Amino acid sequence: MCFLSYQGYTQDIVMKQSNEFDSPARHDILAPIQLGEQGIFQFNIKTGRGKSESVHVVHFNNNLEKLQEKIINMDDEWMMISEIPHVVRVKNKIYFLTREDSKKTEGMSAIEFDPQTLTFSKNKIPLFQSSDKVYNWSFFRFGQEEADECLVSENNTRIGLIYRLKPESRREKVNYDIIGMNVFDENMQKVWTREYKMPYTEAVMDNESYAVTNDGKIYLLAKVNLDKE
C-alpha cells in the first residue's frame, strides 16, 4: 500500500510506504479510503454464496503507520445480498452500498461504517427501488470506467447512483435505454430520483460517462452517431 503526494509543480513527488499487513485468505483487496485527519482505511472483503461473508479493515494514520485492524463476520451482524459491496466516502462518512434484489425490481441500501470502532451500523438505509429489472449499474467518475468508483461530487457532498433498466427489445435499432438517476447527500438522504428514457436508440447513442455537481445536478456525456458522423 503506497501513498503518493506532491507539494507543488516544481517539487519532486514523495512516495511513502505503509507498514506491511496480511490480508486474510480469499479476501478481495479494495482501494483504500482517506478520511481526513482520521487517516486511511483499507477494506478487504471475502465473498461467497451470493453475499459478503467477512470484511477485514486496516486503519492507518496519515503517516501510513498501522493503528488497528479488525475482521467483521457478516453472519454475526447482517446478511449482505450483493457479493461485493461498493465502498464510498461522502463528506466525512464511509458507506457500504449493497444491492437489494427482488424478482421484478432492484434497489440499493447504504450501511454506515464507524471509523472509531471499526464497526458497521446494523441499520440499513434504504435508498431507492427501480421500476423494473436492472440490466447494469454505472459506478464511475467522469472520464473513468472503474467498477469500484462511485459518482461523487467534487466537494464530496453529493453521490449519484445510476442504473440502466433491462432493455425492452434486444434490437438496438428500436430500443431506447431507460436510465435511473438518483442523487443523495452526505447523510444518504434523497435529493432527487427519476428514470429517464433516452432521446435516441441504442444503435445511435452511446452513454460514455456521468458527472454529479456540488448542487446535485447530473450530467451525461453521450456519443451520438447521426448520419454516420
Side-chain angles (χ1 to χ4, degrees), residues 3-83:
F3 177 75
L4 301 180
S5 67
Y6 61 90
Q7 301 299 320
Y9 295 108
T10 61
Q11 297 185 22
D12 294 334
I13 292 176
V14 177
M15 176 179 289
K16 297 180 180 179
Q17 182 172 327
S18 72
N19 301 136
E20 293 183 357
F21 66 92
D22 292 327
S23 178
R26 296 190 293 146
H27 280 66
D28 294 313
I29 298 176
L30 305 184
I33 291 183
Q34 203 278 336
L35 199 62
E37 295 181 355
Q38 298 186 70
I40 301 169
F41 296 84
Q42 171 66 47
F43 295 96
N44 311 305
I45 297 179
K46 179 183 177 182
T47 60
R49 304 193 303 275
K51 67 180 184 66
S52 299
E53 294 183 358
S54 63
V55 173
H56 172 238
V57 57
V58 188
H59 181 199
F60 297 89
N61 62 22
N62 286 321
N63 290 322
L64 294 183
E65 299 166 334
K66 187 170 71 173
L67 301 177
Q68 54 183 332
E69 62 180 314
K70 185 177 182 179
I71 295 180
I72 304 169
N73 191 327
M74 297 302 197
D75 292 332
D76 292 343
E77 300 192 19
W78 69 86
M79 178 75 74
M80 278 194 174
I81 297 176
S82 60
E83 288 196 359

Coordinates of all heavy atoms in Angstrom, one line a residue, residues 3-83:
F3 N 1.2 5.7 -0.7 CA 0.6 7.0 -0.7 C 1.4 7.9 -1.5 O 2.6 8.1 -1.1 CB 0.3 7.4 0.7 CG -0.3 8.8 0.8 CD1 -1.7 8.9 0.6 CD2 0.4 9.9 1.2 CE1 -2.3 10.2 0.7 CE2 -0.2 11.1 1.3 CZ -1.5 11.3 1.0
L4 N 0.9 8.6 -2.5 CA 1.6 9.5 -3.3 C 1.2 10.9 -3.1 O 0.0 11.2 -3.0 CB 1.5 9.2 -4.8 CG 1.9 7.8 -5.3 CD1 1.6 7.6 -6.7 CD2 3.3 7.5 -4.9
S5 N 2.1 11.9 -2.9 CA 1.7 13.2 -2.8 C 2.8 14.1 -3.3 O 3.9 13.7 -3.5 CB 1.5 13.6 -1.3 OG 2.8 13.5 -0.6
Y6 N 2.4 15.4 -3.7 CA 3.4 16.4 -4.1 C 3.0 17.7 -3.5 O 1.8 18.0 -3.3 CB 3.5 16.4 -5.6 CG 2.3 16.8 -6.4 CD1 2.0 18.1 -6.6 CD2 1.4 15.8 -6.8 CE1 0.8 18.5 -7.3 CE2 0.2 16.2 -7.5 CZ 0.0 17.5 -7.7 OH -1.2 17.9 -8.4
Q7 N 4.0 18.6 -3.3 CA 3.7 19.9 -2.6 C 3.7 21.0 -3.7 O 3.3 22.1 -3.3 CB 4.8 20.2 -1.6 CG 5.0 19.1 -0.5 CD 3.7 19.1 0.3 OE1 3.1 20.1 0.6 NE2 3.3 17.8 0.6
G8 N 4.0 20.8 -4.9 CA 3.9 21.8 -5.9 C 4.4 21.3 -7.2 O 5.0 20.2 -7.3
Y9 N 4.2 22.1 -8.3 CA 4.6 21.6 -9.6 C 6.1 21.5 -9.8 O 6.6 20.7 -10.6 CB 4.0 22.6 -10.6 CG 2.5 22.6 -10.7 CD1 1.8 23.7 -10.2 CD2 1.8 21.5 -11.2 CE1 0.4 23.7 -10.3 CE2 0.4 21.6 -11.2 CZ -0.2 22.7 -10.8 OH -1.6 22.7 -10.8
T10 N 6.9 22.3 -9.0 CA 8.3 22.3 -9.2 C 9.0 21.3 -8.2 O 10.2 21.2 -8.3 CB 8.9 23.7 -9.0 OG1 8.6 24.1 -7.7 CG2 8.2 24.7 -10.0
Q11 N 8.3 20.7 -7.3 CA 8.9 19.8 -6.4 C 8.8 18.3 -6.8 O 7.9 18.0 -7.5 CB 8.4 20.0 -5.0 CG 8.6 21.4 -4.4 CD 8.1 21.6 -3.0 OE1 8.0 20.6 -2.3 NE2 7.9 22.8 -2.6
D12 N 9.6 17.5 -6.2 CA 9.6 16.1 -6.5 C 8.4 15.4 -5.9 O 7.9 15.9 -4.8 CB 10.9 15.4 -6.1 CG 12.1 15.9 -6.8 OD1 11.9 16.3 -8.0 OD2 13.2 15.8 -6.3
I13 N 7.9 14.4 -6.5 CA 6.9 13.6 -5.9 C 7.5 12.8 -4.7 O 8.6 12.2 -4.8 CB 6.3 12.6 -6.9 CG1 5.5 13.4 -7.9 CG2 5.4 11.6 -6.2 CD1 4.9 12.6 -9.1
V14 N 6.8 12.7 -3.6 CA 7.2 11.9 -2.4 C 6.4 10.7 -2.3 O 5.2 10.7 -2.3 CB 7.1 12.8 -1.1 CG1 7.5 11.9 0.1 CG2 7.9 14.0 -1.2
M15 N 7.1 9.5 -2.2 CA 6.4 8.2 -2.1 C 6.6 7.7 -0.7 O 7.8 7.7 -0.2 CB 6.9 7.2 -3.1 CG 6.3 5.8 -2.9 SD 6.8 4.6 -4.2 CE 6.0 5.2 -5.6
K16 N 5.6 7.3 0.0 CA 5.7 6.7 1.3 C 5.1 5.3 1.3 O 4.1 5.1 0.6 CB 4.9 7.5 2.4 CG 5.5 8.9 2.6 CD 4.6 9.7 3.6 CE 5.2 11.1 3.8 NZ 4.4 11.8 4.8
Q17 N 5.7 4.4 2.0 CA 5.2 3.0 2.0 C 4.7 2.7 3.4 O 5.3 3.1 4.4 CB 6.3 2.1 1.7 CG 5.8 0.6 1.7 CD 6.9 -0.3 1.1 OE1 7.7 0.1 0.3 NE2 7.0 -1.5 1.7
S18 N 3.5 2.1 3.5 CA 2.9 1.8 4.8 C 3.6 0.6 5.5 O 4.4 -0.1 4.8 CB 1.4 1.5 4.6 OG 1.3 0.2 4.0
N19 N 3.2 0.4 6.7 CA 3.6 -0.9 7.3 C 2.9 -2.0 6.6 O 1.8 -1.9 6.0 CB 3.0 -0.9 8.8 CG 3.5 0.2 9.6 OD1 2.8 0.8 10.4 ND2 4.8 0.5 9.6
E20 N 3.6 -3.1 6.5 CA 3.0 -4.3 5.8 C 1.9 -4.8 6.6 O 1.8 -4.7 7.8 CB 4.1 -5.3 5.6 CG 5.2 -4.9 4.6 CD 6.2 -6.0 4.4 OE1 6.0 -7.1 5.0 OE2 7.1 -5.9 3.6
F21 N 0.9 -5.4 5.9 CA -0.2 -6.1 6.6 C -0.6 -7.3 5.8 O -0.4 -7.4 4.6 CB -1.4 -5.1 6.8 CG -2.1 -4.7 5.5 CD1 -3.1 -5.5 4.9 CD2 -1.6 -3.6 4.7 CE1 -3.7 -5.1 3.8 CE2 -2.2 -3.2 3.6 CZ -3.3 -4.0 3.1
D22 N -1.1 -8.3 6.5 CA -1.6 -9.5 5.9 C -3.1 -9.5 5.6 O -3.8 -9.2 6.5 CB -1.2 -10.7 6.8 CG 0.3 -11.0 6.9 OD1 1.0 -10.7 5.9 OD2 0.7 -11.4 8.0
S23 N -3.5 -9.7 4.4 CA -4.9 -9.8 4.1 C -5.3 -11.3 4.3 O -4.6 -12.2 3.8 CB -5.1 -9.4 2.6 OG -6.5 -9.6 2.3
P24 N -6.4 -11.5 5.0 CA -6.8 -12.9 5.2 C -7.1 -13.6 3.9 O -7.3 -13.0 2.9 CB -8.1 -12.7 6.1 CG -8.0 -11.4 6.7 CD -7.2 -10.6 5.7
A25 N -7.0 -14.9 4.0 CA -7.2 -15.7 2.7 C -8.5 -15.5 2.1 O -9.5 -15.3 2.8 CB -7.0 -17.2 3.1
R26 N -8.5 -15.4 0.8 CA -9.7 -15.3 -0.1 C -10.4 -14.0 0.2 O -11.6 -13.9 -0.1 CB -10.7 -16.5 0.1 CG -10.1 -17.8 -0.3 CD -11.1 -18.9 -0.4 NE -11.6 -19.2 1.0 CZ -12.8 -19.6 1.3 NH1 -13.7 -19.7 0.4 NH2 -13.1 -19.9 2.5
H27 N -9.7 -13.0 0.6 CA -10.3 -11.6 0.7 C -9.9 -10.8 -0.5 O -8.7 -10.6 -0.7 CB -9.9 -11.0 2.0 CG -10.7 -11.4 3.2 ND1 -10.6 -12.7 3.7 CD2 -11.6 -10.8 4.0 CE1 -11.4 -12.8 4.7 NE2 -12.0 -11.7 5.0
D28 N -10.8 -10.2 -1.2 CA -10.5 -9.2 -2.2 C -10.1 -7.9 -1.7 O -10.7 -7.4 -0.8 CB -11.7 -9.0 -3.1 CG -12.1 -10.3 -3.9 OD1 -11.3 -10.9 -4.4 OD2 -13.3 -10.6 -3.9
I29 N -8.9 -7.4 -2.2 CA -8.4 -6.1 -1.7 C -9.0 -5.0 -2.5 O -8.9 -4.9 -3.7 CB -6.9 -6.1 -1.8 CG1 -6.3 -7.2 -0.9 CG2 -6.3 -4.8 -1.4 CD1 -4.8 -7.4 -1.1
L30 N -9.7 -4.0 -1.8 CA -10.3 -2.9 -2.4 C -9.4 -1.7 -2.2 O -8.4 -1.7 -1.5 CB -11.6 -2.6 -1.7 CG -12.7 -3.7 -1.7 CD1 -14.0 -3.3 -1.1 CD2 -12.9 -4.3 -3.1
A31 N -9.7 -0.6 -2.9 CA -8.9 0.6 -2.9 C -9.0 1.3 -1.5 O -10.1 1.3 -0.9 CB -9.4 1.6 -4.0
P32 N -8.0 1.8 -1.0 CA -8.0 2.5 0.4 C -8.8 3.8 0.3 O -8.9 4.4 -0.8 CB -6.6 2.7 0.7 CG -5.9 2.8 -0.6 CD -6.6 1.8 -1.5
I33 N -9.4 4.1 1.4 CA -10.2 5.4 1.5 C -9.5 6.3 2.5 O -9.3 5.9 3.7 CB -11.6 5.1 1.9 CG1 -12.4 4.4 0.8 CG2 -12.4 6.4 2.3 CD1 -13.8 4.1 1.0
Q34 N -9.2 7.5 2.1 CA -8.6 8.5 3.0 C -9.7 9.4 3.6 O -10.5 9.9 2.9 CB -7.6 9.4 2.2 CG -6.5 10.0 3.1 CD -7.0 11.3 3.7 OE1 -7.9 11.9 3.3 NE2 -6.4 11.7 4.8
L35 N -9.7 9.5 5.0 CA -10.8 10.2 5.7 C -10.2 11.3 6.5 O -10.3 11.3 7.7 CB -11.6 9.2 6.5 CG -13.0 9.6 7.0 CD1 -13.9 9.8 5.8 CD2 -13.6 8.6 7.9
G36 N -9.6 12.3 5.8 CA -9.1 13.5 6.5 C -8.1 13.2 7.6 O -7.2 12.3 7.5
E37 N -8.3 13.8 8.7 CA -7.4 13.6 9.9 C -7.5 12.3 10.5 O -6.7 11.8 11.3 CB -7.6 14.7 10.9 CG -7.3 16.1 10.4 CD -7.5 17.2 11.5 OE1 -8.0 16.8 12.6 OE2 -7.1 18.4 11.2
Q38 N -8.6 11.6 10.2 CA -8.9 10.3 10.8 C -8.0 9.2 10.2 O -7.9 8.1 10.8 CB -10.3 9.9 10.7 CG -11.2 10.8 11.5 CD -12.7 10.4 11.5 OE1 -13.0 9.4 12.2 NE2 -13.5 11.0 10.8
G39 N -7.4 9.5 9.1 CA -6.4 8.5 8.5 C -6.9 7.8 7.3 O -7.8 8.3 6.6
I40 N -6.4 6.6 7.1 CA -6.7 5.8 5.9 C -7.2 4.5 6.3 O -6.7 3.8 7.2 CB -5.4 5.7 5.0 CG1 -4.9 7.0 4.6 CG2 -5.7 4.8 3.8 CD1 -3.5 7.0 4.0
F41 N -8.3 4.0 5.6 CA -8.9 2.8 5.9 C -8.9 1.8 4.7 O -9.3 2.2 3.6 CB -10.4 3.0 6.3 CG -10.5 3.8 7.6 CD1 -10.5 5.2 7.5 CD2 -10.6 3.2 8.8 CE1 -10.6 5.9 8.7 CE2 -10.7 3.9 10.0 CZ -10.7 5.3 9.9
Q42 N -8.3 0.7 4.9 CA -8.1 -0.3 3.9 C -9.1 -1.5 4.1 O -9.1 -2.1 5.2 CB -6.7 -0.9 3.9 CG -6.5 -2.1 2.9 CD -6.7 -1.7 1.5 OE1 -6.1 -0.7 1.0 NE2 -7.4 -2.5 0.7
F43 N -10.0 -1.7 3.1 CA -11.0 -2.8 3.3 C -10.7 -3.9 2.4 O -10.3 -3.8 1.2 CB -12.4 -2.2 2.9 CG -12.9 -1.2 3.8 CD1 -12.7 0.2 3.5 CD2 -13.5 -1.5 5.0 CE1 -13.2 1.2 4.3 CE2 -14.0 -0.5 5.9 CZ -13.8 0.8 5.5
N44 N -10.8 -5.2 2.9 CA -10.6 -6.4 2.2 C -11.8 -7.3 2.5 O -12.2 -7.5 3.6 CB -9.3 -7.1 2.6 CG -8.2 -6.2 2.6 OD1 -7.8 -5.5 1.7 ND2 -7.5 -6.0 3.8
I45 N -12.5 -7.8 1.4 CA -13.8 -8.4 1.5 C -13.7 -9.9 1.0 O -13.2 -10.1 -0.1 CB -14.8 -7.6 0.8 CG1 -15.0 -6.2 1.4 CG2 -16.2 -8.4 0.8 CD1 -16.0 -5.4 0.8
K46 N -14.3 -10.8 1.8 CA -14.4 -12.2 1.4 C -15.9 -12.4 1.0 O -16.8 -12.0 1.7 CB -14.1 -13.1 2.6 CG -14.2 -14.6 2.2 CD -13.9 -15.4 3.5 CE -14.1 -16.9 3.2 NZ -13.9 -17.8 4.4
T47 N -16.1 -13.0 -0.2 CA -17.4 -13.2 -0.7 C -17.6 -14.7 -1.0 O -16.7 -15.5 -1.2 CB -17.7 -12.4 -2.0 OG1 -16.7 -12.8 -3.0 CG2 -17.5 -11.0 -1.8
G48 N -18.9 -15.1 -1.0 CA -19.3 -16.5 -1.3 C -20.7 -16.7 -1.1 O -21.4 -16.0 -0.4
R49 N -21.3 -17.6 -1.9 CA -22.7 -18.0 -1.8 C -23.6 -16.8 -2.0 O -24.6 -16.6 -1.3 CB -23.0 -18.6 -0.4 CG -22.2 -19.8 -0.1 CD -22.8 -20.6 1.1 NE -22.9 -19.8 2.3 CZ -21.9 -19.6 3.1 NH1 -20.7 -20.1 2.9 NH2 -22.1 -18.8 4.2
G50 N -23.2 -15.9 -2.9 CA -24.0 -14.8 -3.3 C -24.1 -13.6 -2.3 O -25.0 -12.8 -2.3
K51 N -23.1 -13.6 -1.3 CA -23.2 -12.5 -0.4 C -21.7 -12.3 0.2 O -20.8 -13.1 -0.1 CB -24.1 -12.8 0.8 CG -23.6 -14.0 1.7 CD -24.6 -14.2 2.8 CE -24.0 -15.3 3.7 NZ -22.8 -14.9 4.4
S52 N -21.6 -11.2 0.9 CA -20.3 -11.0 1.5 C -20.2 -11.7 2.9 O -21.2 -11.7 3.6 CB -20.1 -9.5 1.8 OG -20.1 -8.8 0.6
E53 N -19.1 -12.4 3.1 CA -19.0 -13.2 4.3 C -18.3 -12.5 5.4 O -18.7 -12.6 6.6 CB -18.3 -14.6 4.0 CG -19.1 -15.5 3.1 CD -18.4 -16.8 2.8 OE1 -17.3 -17.0 3.3 OE2 -19.0 -17.6 2.1
S54 N -17.2 -11.8 5.1 CA -16.5 -11.1 6.1 C -15.7 -9.9 5.5 O -15.4 -9.9 4.3 CB -15.5 -12.0 6.8 OG -14.5 -12.5 5.9
V55 N -15.5 -8.9 6.4 CA -14.7 -7.7 6.0 C -13.5 -7.6 6.9 O -13.6 -7.6 8.1 CB -15.6 -6.4 6.1 CG1 -14.7 -5.2 5.8 CG2 -16.7 -6.5 5.1
H56 N -12.3 -7.4 6.3 CA -11.1 -7.2 7.1 C -10.7 -5.7 6.8 O -10.6 -5.3 5.7 CB -10.0 -8.1 6.6 CG -8.6 -7.8 7.1 ND1 -7.5 -7.5 6.3 CD2 -8.2 -7.7 8.4 CE1 -6.5 -7.2 7.1 NE2 -6.9 -7.4 8.4
V57 N -10.7 -4.9 7.9 CA -10.4 -3.5 7.8 C -9.1 -3.2 8.5 O -8.9 -3.7 9.6 CB -11.6 -2.6 8.3 CG1 -11.9 -3.0 9.7 CG2 -11.2 -1.2 8.2
V58 N -8.2 -2.4 7.9 CA -6.9 -2.0 8.5 C -7.0 -0.5 8.5 O -7.2 0.2 7.5 CB -5.7 -2.5 7.7 CG1 -4.4 -2.1 8.4 CG2 -5.8 -4.0 7.4
H59 N -6.7 0.1 9.7 CA -6.7 1.5 9.9 C -5.2 2.1 10.0 O -4.5 1.6 10.9 CB -7.5 1.9 11.2 CG -7.6 3.3 11.5 ND1 -7.9 3.8 12.7 CD2 -7.4 4.4 10.7 CE1 -7.9 5.1 12.7 NE2 -7.6 5.5 11.5
F60 N -4.9 3.0 9.2 CA -3.6 3.7 9.2 C -3.7 5.1 9.5 O -4.8 5.7 9.2 CB -2.9 3.6 7.8 CG -2.6 2.2 7.3 CD1 -3.5 1.5 6.6 CD2 -1.4 1.6 7.6 CE1 -3.2 0.2 6.2 CE2 -1.1 0.3 7.2 CZ -2.0 -0.4 6.4
N61 N -2.7 5.7 10.2 CA -2.8 7.2 10.3 C -2.2 7.8 9.0 O -1.8 7.0 8.0 CB -2.0 7.7 11.5 CG -0.5 7.3 11.4 OD1 0.1 7.0 10.3 ND2 0.2 7.2 12.6
N62 N -2.1 9.1 8.9 CA -1.7 9.7 7.6 C -0.2 9.6 7.3 O 0.2 10.0 6.2 CB -2.2 11.2 7.6 CG -3.7 11.3 7.3 OD1 -4.3 10.5 6.6 ND2 -4.3 12.2 8.0
N63 N 0.5 9.1 8.3 CA 1.9 8.7 8.1 C 2.1 7.3 7.6 O 3.2 6.8 7.6 CB 2.7 9.0 9.3 CG 2.9 10.5 9.6 OD1 3.0 11.3 8.7 ND2 2.8 10.9 10.9
L64 N 0.9 6.6 7.4 CA 0.9 5.2 6.9 C 1.4 4.2 8.0 O 1.9 3.2 7.7 CB 1.6 5.0 5.6 CG 1.0 5.8 4.4 CD1 1.8 5.5 3.2 CD2 -0.4 5.4 4.2
E65 N 1.2 4.6 9.2 CA 1.6 3.7 10.3 C 0.3 3.0 10.8 O -0.8 3.6 11.0 CB 2.1 4.5 11.5 CG 3.4 5.2 11.2 CD 3.8 6.2 12.3 OE1 2.9 6.7 13.0 OE2 5.0 6.5 12.4
K66 N 0.3 1.7 10.9 CA -0.9 0.9 11.2 C -1.3 1.1 12.6 O -0.5 1.0 13.5 CB -0.6 -0.6 10.9 CG -1.9 -1.5 11.1 CD -1.7 -2.9 10.6 CE -0.8 -3.7 11.5 NZ -0.8 -5.1 11.1
L67 N -2.5 1.5 12.8 CA -3.0 1.7 14.2 C -3.8 0.5 14.7 O -3.6 0.2 15.9 CB -4.0 3.0 14.1 CG -3.3 4.3 13.6 CD1 -4.4 5.4 13.6 CD2 -2.1 4.6 14.5
Q68 N -4.7 0.0 13.9 CA -5.5 -1.2 14.4 C -6.1 -1.9 13.2 O -6.1 -1.4 12.0 CB -6.6 -0.7 15.3 CG -7.5 0.4 14.7 CD -8.6 0.9 15.6 OE1 -9.0 0.2 16.5 NE2 -9.0 2.2 15.4
E69 N -6.6 -3.1 13.4 CA -7.2 -3.9 12.3 C -8.3 -4.8 13.0 O -8.2 -5.1 14.2 CB -6.3 -4.7 11.5 CG -5.5 -5.7 12.2 CD -4.5 -6.5 11.3 OE1 -5.0 -6.9 10.2 OE2 -3.4 -6.7 11.7
K70 N -9.2 -5.2 12.1 CA -10.4 -6.0 12.7 C -11.0 -6.8 11.6 O -11.0 -6.4 10.4 CB -11.4 -5.0 13.3 CG -12.6 -5.7 14.0 CD -13.5 -4.7 14.6 CE -14.6 -5.4 15.3 NZ -15.5 -4.4 16.0
I71 N -11.5 -8.0 11.9 CA -12.2 -8.8 11.0 C -13.7 -8.8 11.4 O -14.0 -9.2 12.6 CB -11.7 -10.2 10.9 CG1 -10.3 -10.2 10.3 CG2 -12.6 -11.1 10.0 CD1 -9.6 -11.6 10.1
I72 N -14.6 -8.5 10.6 CA -16.0 -8.4 10.9 C -16.7 -9.5 10.2 O -16.7 -9.6 8.9 CB -16.6 -7.1 10.5 CG1 -15.8 -5.9 11.1 CG2 -18.1 -7.0 10.9 CD1 -16.2 -4.6 10.6
N73 N -17.3 -10.4 10.9 CA -18.1 -11.5 10.3 C -19.5 -11.1 10.0 O -20.2 -10.7 10.9 CB -18.1 -12.7 11.3 CG -18.7 -14.0 10.7 OD1 -19.5 -13.9 9.8 ND2 -18.2 -15.1 11.2
M74 N -19.8 -11.1 8.7 CA -21.1 -10.6 8.3 C -22.3 -11.4 8.9 O -23.3 -10.8 9.2 CB -21.2 -10.6 6.8 CG -20.2 -9.7 6.1 SD -20.4 -8.0 6.6 CE -19.5 -7.2 5.3
D75 N -22.1 -12.7 9.0 CA -23.2 -13.5 9.5 C -23.6 -13.1 10.9 O -24.7 -13.4 11.4 CB -22.8 -15.0 9.5 CG -22.7 -15.5 8.0 OD1 -23.4 -15.0 7.2 OD2 -21.9 -16.5 7.8
D76 N -22.7 -12.6 11.7 CA -23.0 -12.2 13.1 C -23.8 -10.9 13.1 O -24.4 -10.5 14.1 CB -21.7 -12.0 13.9 CG -21.0 -13.3 14.1 OD1 -21.7 -14.4 13.9 OD2 -19.8 -13.3 14.4
E77 N -23.8 -10.1 12.0 CA -24.4 -8.8 12.1 C -25.5 -8.6 11.1 O -26.6 -8.1 11.5 CB -23.3 -7.7 11.9 CG -22.2 -7.7 12.9 CD -21.3 -6.5 12.9 OE1 -21.8 -5.5 12.3 OE2 -20.2 -6.6 13.4
W78 N -25.4 -9.0 9.9 CA -26.4 -8.9 8.9 C -26.1 -9.7 7.7 O -25.0 -10.2 7.5 CB -26.7 -7.4 8.5 CG -25.6 -6.8 7.7 CD1 -25.4 -6.9 6.4 CD2 -24.4 -6.1 8.2 NE1 -24.2 -6.3 6.0 CE2 -23.6 -5.8 7.1 CE3 -24.0 -5.7 9.5 CZ2 -22.4 -5.1 7.3 CZ3 -22.8 -5.0 9.6 CH2 -22.1 -4.7 8.5
M79 N -27.1 -9.9 6.8 CA -26.9 -10.6 5.6 C -26.8 -9.6 4.5 O -27.7 -8.9 4.2 CB -28.0 -11.6 5.3 CG -27.9 -12.3 4.0 SD -26.8 -13.7 4.1 CE -27.7 -14.9 5.1
M80 N -25.6 -9.6 3.8 CA -25.5 -8.7 2.6 C -25.9 -9.5 1.4 O -25.4 -10.6 1.2 CB -24.0 -8.2 2.5 CG -23.7 -7.1 3.4 SD -22.1 -6.3 2.9 CE -22.1 -4.9 3.9
I81 N -26.7 -8.8 0.6 CA -27.2 -9.5 -0.6 C -26.2 -9.4 -1.8 O -26.0 -10.4 -2.5 CB -28.5 -8.9 -1.0 CG1 -29.6 -9.2 0.1 CG2 -29.0 -9.5 -2.3 CD1 -30.9 -8.5 -0.2
S82 N -25.5 -8.3 -1.9 CA -24.6 -8.2 -3.1 C -23.3 -8.9 -2.7 O -22.9 -8.9 -1.6 CB -24.3 -6.7 -3.3 OG -23.8 -6.1 -2.2
E83 N -22.6 -9.5 -3.7 CA -21.4 -10.2 -3.5 C -20.3 -9.3 -3.0 O -19.6 -9.6 -2.1 CB -21.0 -11.0 -4.8 CG -21.9 -12.2 -5.1 CD -21.3 -13.1 -6.1 OE1 -20.2 -12.8 -6.5 OE2 -21.9 -14.1 -6.4

